[in-house]
Amino acid sequence: MRSRLYFILGSLALLQTFTSGSKIPSFAAQIRDMRHSENAHTKIELASLISRNSSIFSPLDAEWKNETERYMQNINPQVQLSVRPGLEDDVAKIVQYANRRNVPFYAVSRGHALTTSVGKFNGIEIDLRSLNRVHVNSNKSTAWFQGGVYSYEVLNSLWDEGCVSILGPALGGGHGLQQGKHGLTSDHFVNLNVVLANGTAVQVNENSNPDLWWAMRGAGHNFGIVTSFESKIWPDNFKKYFVKIYQFAGNSLDALIEQVNLFQGNGTLDPAWLGNFGLYTINAALSQTEATITWVFIYDGVQAEAEAALKPFDELQPLTADEVSIPYTAINDQIGGAVDGALCEPNKTHIIGTAGLQTYNVTTMRAIYDLYTEKINQHPELGATRVFVEGYSVQGVRSFNSDDSAFPLRDDNILTYFDVKLNSSSDPLIDFATKWRDETIDLWNAGQSDRKPTAYVNYAAGYESLESRYGYDSWRLEKLRKLKGQYDPYNRFAWYNPIIPPQIRY
């Protein structure tokens, strides 16, 4: 409110300086000009406070479009200024400055946030992408990662050292390919360097700020900005991983899901299987009217063992079956997650939804498939829509006590993800896609009527209940709210799946 008042008072003062013969610009132009002036003043002030290798961008800069580019254009935070700190210490200084000016701040690393709450932000963006260093400690059992590091940067840095890490957005728990052996990403934090809402920099671990240690692992985006963290890593010795990719027609679906349930089990999948992933989407080379079902299996072990275990899938008459042995660094690309691939294409409108499962309901998976076919036949232009499921080994995840961190969903064996991709935030098919999304998520949840709906926080769209994201045990939300009042009483961190809605203070 204070900065809005500055803009209004500044405009009134500007009006008083014009003579009667001057051409007075429109009020909107005056407001815009004053905002640019305010941003220029802020840039000068901030530049005097932070390190010289930092960067500050305003809407007048040529780099602005690049700097504020996002994955989802339909969730559009109002960024007035973007600051890219060059040193970790700069983050605390930026937060302190924003607080003095009573301006909201929001930290990003890559702009991939999916939740609608991000769209309510209006203020200074703290872009962590320059904080991307990885340092492997001499014992090669832990490494330090700065807060803006890309997953692929982690992979490549550790691979050079003969190591791997757990992948995944860590503060929301962090599912990944190594979780069957080692647990979630957040389970293997050793230390977190965190900037709190008041601009104080603290180290957080099981002995230092232990209550915040609990909250950061599962709900961390509500409590602070992690400028760097130390995590356990594991030797890999440059071995190869076996990947097999099947494509099936719709008439194979029921038998396929039954077989996947036998393979996946209910929390019993051997950790040697890093994951199995299913996808419904249109492959025009195979069919333009019916979704092709793709299923990918990834194995850490002897290829002959994997081939024997997958023989039942070979007998289901797949349309195609391809296999490859690749290093760990290539797995993400192989399953469609390349950083420059179609899945990461920026500036698109996405209608997304998610549900957590334990096993697949065959009837439900068939109903979702038939719904997909129905919707695509109505609107063939939506053929890139993805209905995606992720089946992981969870033995490592379940080896940790669920009460010891804020992450509540250790009994979800399967993640689901629905995604319609559109070119414009005003696309006339948004309502159609949203209804399709809701029907699909409702089907997934109805297929497990004995469980309450759950939503992995890193896949959540923002409309899900707090309990589905942060746990149905009443003590969990009570504890999170109490800690929120202690560490962030003014609710500065209210933009990513917030525990407390924006603009609400204690």
Side-chain angles (χ1 to χ4, degrees):
M1 179 62 73
R2 182 182 303 169
S3 46
R4 274 190 203 161
L5 183 60
Y6 286 160
F7 295 148
I8 293 171
L9 292 177
S11 296
L12 292 174
L14 182 64
L15 280 171
Q16 294 170 8
T17 67
F18 284 101
T19 66
S20 59
S22 301
K23 182 179 180 181
I24 300 176
S26 69
F27 185 73
Q30 296 168 43
I31 294 294
R32 182 196 63 216
D33 291 342
M34 290 311 299
R35 284 178 176 166
H36 291 161
S37 176
E38 180 77 4
N39 279 339
H41 178 67
T42 300
K43 287 176 73 171
I44 293 170
E45 286 188 331
L46 266 173
S48 70
L49 298 173
I50 58 181
S51 62
R52 291 184 177 182
N53 54 341
S54 300
S55 302
I56 305 175
F57 304 92
S58 76
L60 292 179
D61 293 317
E63 303 93 333
W64 182 251
K65 183 177 179 182
N66 237 4
E67 178 66 16
T68 57
E69 182 179 71
R70 298 190 58 78
Y71 176 64
M72 294 178 66
Q73 63 175 323
N74 49 317
I75 300 176
N76 190 24
Q78 299 302 301
V79 178
Q80 304 300 330
L81 206 68
S82 182
V83 188
R84 193 184 296 182
L87 300 175
E88 289 186 48
D89 291 346
D90 293 329
V91 176
K93 295 173 183 177
I94 298 165
V95 170
Q96 292 164 10
Y97 175 83
N99 286 338
R100 287 197 301 272
R101 296 290 304 274
N102 197 28
V103 176
F105 56 86
Y106 173 55
V108 302
S109 55
R110 293 293 178 249
H112 272 64
L114 306 177
T115 178
T116 55
S117 53
V118 172
K120 298 176 182 179
F121 173 75
N122 187 337
I124 295 176
E125 174 186 88
I126 304 173
D127 179 358
L128 301 176
R129 75 179 71 184
S130 293
L131 301 180
N132 60 0
R133 290 191 292 278
V134 177
H135 172 73
V136 177
N137 292 327
S138 58
N139 58 14
K140 291 196 175 184
S141 62
T142 64
W144 279 95
F145 307 88
Q146 287 192 309
V149 71
Y150 260 91
S151 291
Y152 85 89
E153 291 170 336
V154 172
L155 279 174
N156 291 330
S157 295
L158 294 185
W159 189 256
D160 291 342
E161 298 283 348
C163 304
V164 296
S165 74
I166 304 172
L167 299 180
L171 297 184
H175 287 283
L177 299 175
Q178 296 286 336
Q179 70 171 46
K181 297 178 181 178
H182 304 301
L184 301 169
T185 312
S186 58
D187 291 331
H188 292 279
F189 285 156
V190 177
N191 285 295
L192 303 174
N193 288 326
V194 180
V195 173
L196 301 178
N198 64 4
T200 302
V202 298
Q203 188 164 90
V204 180
N205 55 49
E206 59 184 350
N207 298 313
S208 177
N209 301 296
D211 52 354
L212 190 56
W213 176 246
W214 178 88
M216 292 297 296
R217 294 172 299 138
H221 34 269
N222 284 277
F223 291 94
I225 301 171
V226 176
T227 59
S228 62
F229 64 95
E230 183 183 14
S231 177
K232 295 178 182 177
I233 57 175
W234 294 271
D236 189 82
N237 300 320
F238 305 100
K239 62 188 175 187
K240 297 292 182 72
Y241 293 76
F242 177 74
V243 179
K244 189 155 188 176
I245 304 172
Y246 296 93
Q247 293 187 90
F248 296 93
N251 58 12
S252 299
L253 175 62
D254 297 52
L256 170 63
I257 297 302
E258 289 176 358
Q259 192 58 52
V260 170
N261 274 337
L262 291 174
F263 174 87
Q264 174 82 26
N266 192 342
T268 60
L269 180 63
D270 188 331
W273 291 97
L274 302 190
N276 67 99
F277 306 95
L279 174 70
Y280 300 172
T281 197
I282 294 293
N283 181 341
L286 298 175
S287 173
Q288 295 186 5
T289 59
E290 185 179 79
T292 299
I293 307 156
T294 302
W295 220 277
V296 182
F297 298 87
I298 305 171
Y299 189 66
D300 176 10
V302 178
Q303 179 171 331
E305 296 172 350
E307 290 173 336
L310 296 177
K311 189 173 181 180
F313 296 96
D314 295 327
E315 295 171 352
L316 294 178
Q317 298 182 324
L319 299 173
T320 66
D322 300 295
E323 56 188 54
V324 63
S325 291
I326 54 177
Y328 194 80
T329 50
I331 292 176
N332 207 37
D333 292 355
Q334 190 69 34
I335 61 177
V339 70
D340 57 352
L343 297 186
C344 291
E345 184 181 10
N347 296 322
K348 297 295 182 181
T349 288
H350 294 264
I351 307 301
I352 64 166
T354 189
L357 309 176
Q358 287 190 323
T359 61
Y360 296 108
N361 182 309
V362 177
T363 302
T364 291
M365 294 296 284
R366 166 56 67 182
I368 291 172
Y369 181 88
D370 291 343
L371 180 65
Y372 189 108
T373 300
E374 173 191 329
K375 298 297 186 182
I376 290 299
N377 285 330
Q378 292 178 45
H379 289 285
E381 63 269 39
L382 298 183
T385 296
R386 296 182 300 133
V387 175
F388 189 59
V389 294
E390 304 175 36
Y392 295 103
S393 171
V394 296
Q395 293 182 33
V397 177
R398 293 187 177 180
S399 69
F400 290 84
N401 188 334
S402 180
D403 294 351
D404 288 346
S405 75
F407 183 78
L409 306 179
R410 292 182 185 271
D411 58 350
D412 280 359
N413 304 328
I414 298 164
L415 305 180
T416 70
Y417 189 73
F418 175 93
D419 181 10
V420 177
K421 182 169 70 174
L422 305 166
N423 288 323
S424 168
S425 56
S426 59
D427 194 298
L429 289 178
I430 285 178
D431 288 344
F432 178 88
T434 301
K435 182 179 179 182
W436 182 8
R437 185 270 312 274
D438 292 345
E439 290 178 281
T440 300
I441 302 305
D442 287 347
L443 282 168
W444 263 319
N445 286 323
Q448 48 175 11
S449 57
D450 57 332
R451 299 185 76 226
K452 295 177 179 178
T454 59
Y456 177 42
V457 70
N458 291 317
Y459 287 0
Y463 65 85
E464 306 88 350
S465 71
L466 276 177
E467 289 80 5
S468 69
R469 287 174 278 171
Y470 293 112
Y472 287 92
D473 295 328
S474 60
W475 67 267
R476 284 188 175 274
L477 276 177
E478 289 173 8
K479 185 172 182 177
L480 285 170
R481 288 179 176 128
K482 181 179 178 181
L483 291 172
K484 187 73 171 170
Q486 177 182 346
Y487 285 100
D488 186 14
Y490 294 99
N491 202 18
R492 306 289 193 194
F493 297 112
W495 312 114
Y496 184 89
N497 280 316
I499 299 165
I500 307 296
Q503 313 308 324
I504 293 179
R505 298 181 176 186
Y506 282 87

